[in-house]
Amino acid sequence: MNNLPSPQDYLDDLHAIGITRLFLPHIDPRDRAAGIRRARQELGRLRGELSLQRDQAAEINGALSPEALRRATAPYSLLLLLHEQLVEEVGDLERSLSTGKPVPYSFDFGRYIFGDEASGDWFIGGQSELDEWGRIQQFKARLDALREQSQPAREQLSGVRSELEALTAEHEKRQAKIDRRQQPATIRLQIALLVLAGVASGLIGWQMWHADRDFSTVAWVLCGACAIMIPIAILNWRNPRTRKLSQQRKLERQIQQARAQGMQQRQSYQPLDLQIKALEVHYNRMLDGWEAARLIKKRLDGFIAEAQPLRERVDAIRAELESQRQQRDKLLKKQAKREKRGAFFRRMFLHIMLVAASGAVGFYFDYMGEADYAAIMYGLGAFCILLVPLAYIDWKNRSGKLESQLRQLETRMLQLQTEGKQIMKRYHPLELQIKTLIAQYKRTRAGITAPTETQQMN
C-alpha cells in the first residue's frame, strides 16, 4: 500500500506534462502542436489512473456512509476536477489555433495538494496557501485540545442541568397536586362523598334493623364514622401537615443544592468556554477568508437561490405553452378540414342522397301496396329534408365555435409568451452570472491562477 501513488504524485505528473508552457507566445508552432498531442495522451492516461484510484478508494470504504465515502475520495475528485479544467484549456488552445485566433492567456495551477482527511476538505495551491493551511491546522489542533480539555467539565455541567431539570419537573408536579388539594372544590367534594356515604349507610341500617340487627349495627357504625370524618377532613384541609409538603420541602432543598453546584461548575467552566468560543469565531473567519473558492461558492448559492423560482416559472410556462400549441394544432386541423373545397357540398349531398333514398324506398313500398311502410319512409325523407337547413346552421355555428376557441388559445399563448419574455429578462442575466461563477468556481477550486512574472519569462 505504501508504494501506491499519492495525490501529490498525480499532481506532480500533471505539472510534468508542461501544459502551461504550450500557451507561451514564443513557442514554435510545430513544438506547440507536438506538445498538444503529447498533453492529450498524458491527460488521457492520468484520467484513467485517477478514476481507478478513486474507484479503489470507494471500494475500500464501500461499507461506510456516503459522507465518509466522499471524504475518502475527496483528493482524487479534486484532481479529476483539475484534470477537467486542463482538458478544457487544451481544447481552447486547439480551437484558437485552428481558427487563426491569438493564443489564449497563459495560466498556472497549484504545486501542492493538501487537506484534512477527517473533514474531507482538500485544496490545490501554492506555497503560501500551503503555509496558511498549516497555520490553520495548528490553530485547529489548539482548538481541539481545548475542546477535549473542557469535555469532562461540560459533561458534569450537563449532568447537573439534567438533574436540576428532573427535580424541577418533579417539584412542579407535586406542587400542582398540593394546589389542587387546597382548592375549596376539593374539600367540598370530600364532604359531599362523606355525606352521601353516611346517608346511604343510615338508610341501609334503618331498613335492615328488623331483618338483620348485626348488619344494621355495622351500617349505623359506618354512618357515625362518616359523620366524625367530616370535621376531621375540614381541619386537615385548613392545616395540611401532610407527607407531601415534607417531600416538597426536601425537593426544594435538593434543587437549591443542584443550583449551587451548577453555579460553581459554571463559574469554573465559563473562562474556558469563552476562550473556546472566541477561538471558534477566529477559526471560522480564517477558513472563510483564506479560500477564494468558498467566497465564490457563497455568491453562486445566492444567485442560484434567486434564480430558482424564475426557472421553475419558465419551465411551467413552457409546459403550458406546449400543451396550448398541441390544442391549437388540433383545432387548426379541424378548421382546415372543414374549409376544404367541397367539404360542405359533400355533407349537403349526403343529406340529399338520404332524402332521395327514403323517397325511392317509400315509392317502392307504395307500389307494393305497403302503405304503412311507405308512409314511414316518406316521413323519414321529409325529416331529412328538414335537416338540410339545420345542417347548414350547425355548420356555421361550429365554424364560429372553432374560431372562438382558436382566438382564446392564441390570446392565452400570447399572454404566456409575454410573461415568459418578462421573466427571461430577469432570469437571463442571472443565468449568465451563474454560468460565469460556476466556471470561476471550478477554476479557483482546481487551483488555476494567473502566472507570475517569473513564470511568464520562462
Side-chain angles (χ1 to χ4, degrees), residues 65-103:
S65 63
E67 180 61 23
L69 188 61
R70 182 197 67 81
R71 292 195 299 266
T73 59
Y76 302 104
S77 299
L78 181 58
L79 288 171
L80 285 171
L81 176 61
L82 173 60
H83 178 278
E84 176 187 347
Q85 297 301 308
L86 293 178
V87 170
E88 290 183 3
E89 294 291 342
V90 173
D92 291 341
L93 178 60
E94 283 187 319
R95 285 190 292 270
S96 299
L97 294 176
S98 62
T99 56
K101 295 181 180 179
V103 177

Side-chain angles (χ1 to χ4, degrees), residues 181-182 187 231-241 245:
R181 186 179 182 276
Q182 293 179 349
I187 189 61
I232 295 175
I234 294 173
L235 292 175
N236 188 34
W237 176 74
R238 288 185 174 181
N239 188 18
R241 303 293 182 180
L245 288 177

Side-chain angles (χ1 to χ4, degrees), residues 342-355 384-385 387-395:
F344 175 73
F345 293 103
R346 283 194 298 270
R347 185 170 181 179
M348 294 296 103
F349 180 75
L350 176 62
H351 284 281
I352 292 172
M353 290 300 295
L354 288 174
V355 172
C384 291
I385 291 175
L387 285 180
V388 172
L390 294 177
Y392 175 76
I393 295 172
D394 178 69
W395 179 274

